[in-house]
């Protein structure tokens, strides 16, 4: 049975890494004494080692030992044997490129569909959708494909940002960008604000956290989704 | 001799389409009675026809007739025969996909290198750099390549945005994104603020407009470039 936490962000403003999610993660990974960390998204260009150390520090509080996927000679086997998987945020283009290069895109999809508990934050959440076409990241590297894990039957927009009322900047708002996406793509897009996450248990998908999420469907006005809503119907 | 205007934005806050550039464009296109418009970037998903009409309305003030590239049976010939070319802003992924699909990426590069005057705004400026890896746009479609026209020997970041001092949003700042780009790419990136443009005459590249631009080089601290600076040395 699928068992995922798909979080908009790892860190809330003024908070520390993953702290707002810790009670949730304690339950989510209660049967894990080890966790496989996927540091491929490298936020700010941080090394795999430094990024893994950052994740390990947090999970030590839950008595879970973290090992980075880059430490394994065979990353596919590492995924297959993982008790739990955590893919951290950073740059989605870089993450997806590395997942394809190492053959772990397929391996993670299979493992999670078979029940390995998964946590994604930001870029690690983006890849849970059908494609990475609704990432906010800069395309710093050219991935072999924009197809992603498809662990939920729609696209994710993490760090969803409402238009700034006083902005004089002429770049597109997030909503405008997602509307452009829907000129060429049919799948719904769920805008997850920072502090929201999806809890996926089998075929049940529930919005969690204190905030609403913003749902975009092709050819329709966006709508606000209340927290604790069951989104299993969404595709 | 190359002859380009590479503008950060088409429109300033509170202004109308291209108005701040009109005196510059009058001179830039003084030998043109017609202009080929490339509407492929389709901002907000606008049609090619509607977008071309918007450009035509402005250039009518300069007694220049605008025709959209989509109106031609052979877009490559349209580029070869154009008196001047204007590529409008919108989504860079869409623009680059269409330029490759129609074979006009090469055709525009050749025409502009042979002296056809060119205007780019936003996405139309992004493609003047070596690659589109430093676009701000959402990857709504998968282009066959991120390589672009290479009409200047560096990358462009249009709509360059300084960090917002009061922001509580945890998404990456523009500067962080460009630093991530430099973890994997060597070419300099010029952040053009809205209201700035590059004037390219042969091998001379001059920063224009009232603002400074922000220059990012791999492994170095970013620096501010004053307007009217000759950037011909930059590569």
């Amino acid at each position: 049975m699928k068992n995922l936490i798909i979080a908009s962000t790892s860190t809330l403003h003024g908070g520390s890494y993953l702290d707002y999610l810790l009670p949730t993660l304690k339950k989510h990974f209660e049967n894990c004494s080890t966790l496989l960390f996927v540091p491929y998204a490298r936020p700010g260009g941080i090394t795999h080692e430094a990024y893994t150390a950052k994740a390990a520090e947090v999970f030590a509080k839950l008595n879970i030992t973290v090992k980075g996927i880059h430490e394994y000679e065979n990353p596919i086997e590492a995924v297959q044997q993982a008790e739990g998987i955590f893919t951290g945020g950073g740059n989605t283009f870089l993450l997806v490129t590395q997942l394809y290069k190492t053959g772990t895109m397929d391996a993670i999809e299979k493992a999670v569909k078979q029940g390995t508990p998964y946590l994604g934050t930001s870029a690690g959440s983006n890849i849970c959708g059908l494609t990475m076409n609704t990432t906010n990241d800069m395309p710093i590297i050219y991935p072999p494909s924009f197809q992603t894990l498809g662990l939920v039957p729609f696209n994710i927009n993490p760090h969803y940002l409402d238009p700034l009322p006083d902005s004089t900047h002429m770049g597109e708002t997030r909503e405008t960008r997602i509307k452009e996406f829907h000129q060429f793509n049919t799948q719904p897009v769920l805008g997850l604000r920072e502090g929201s996450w999806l809890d996926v248990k089998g075929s049940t998908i529930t919005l969690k956290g204190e905030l609403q999420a913003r749902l975009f469907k092709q050819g329709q006005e966006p709508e606000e989704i209340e927290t604790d809503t069951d989104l299993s119907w969404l595709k």
Side-chain angles (χ1 to χ4, degrees), chain A residues 190-206:
Chain A
L190 190 66
L192 284 177
R193 295 185 175 92
E194 293 176 345
S196 292
W197 67 93
L198 295 178
D199 181 85
V200 182
K201 294 276 178 291
S203 58
T204 304
I205 304 170
T206 314

Side-chain angles (χ1 to χ4, degrees), chain A residues 30-72:
Chain A
E30 64 186 350
N31 296 320
C32 301
S33 60
T34 64
L35 200 55
L36 181 70
F37 183 59
V38 181
Y40 291 155
R42 298 179 57 185
I46 189 176
T47 63
H48 292 152
E49 290 73 20
Y51 198 14
T52 302
K54 187 176 167 180
E57 195 184 329
V58 170
F59 281 96
K61 297 177 196 168
L62 305 179
N63 294 314
I64 294 174
T65 306
V66 170
K67 204 165 163 183
I69 194 169
H70 62 286
E71 298 171 48
Y72 291 85

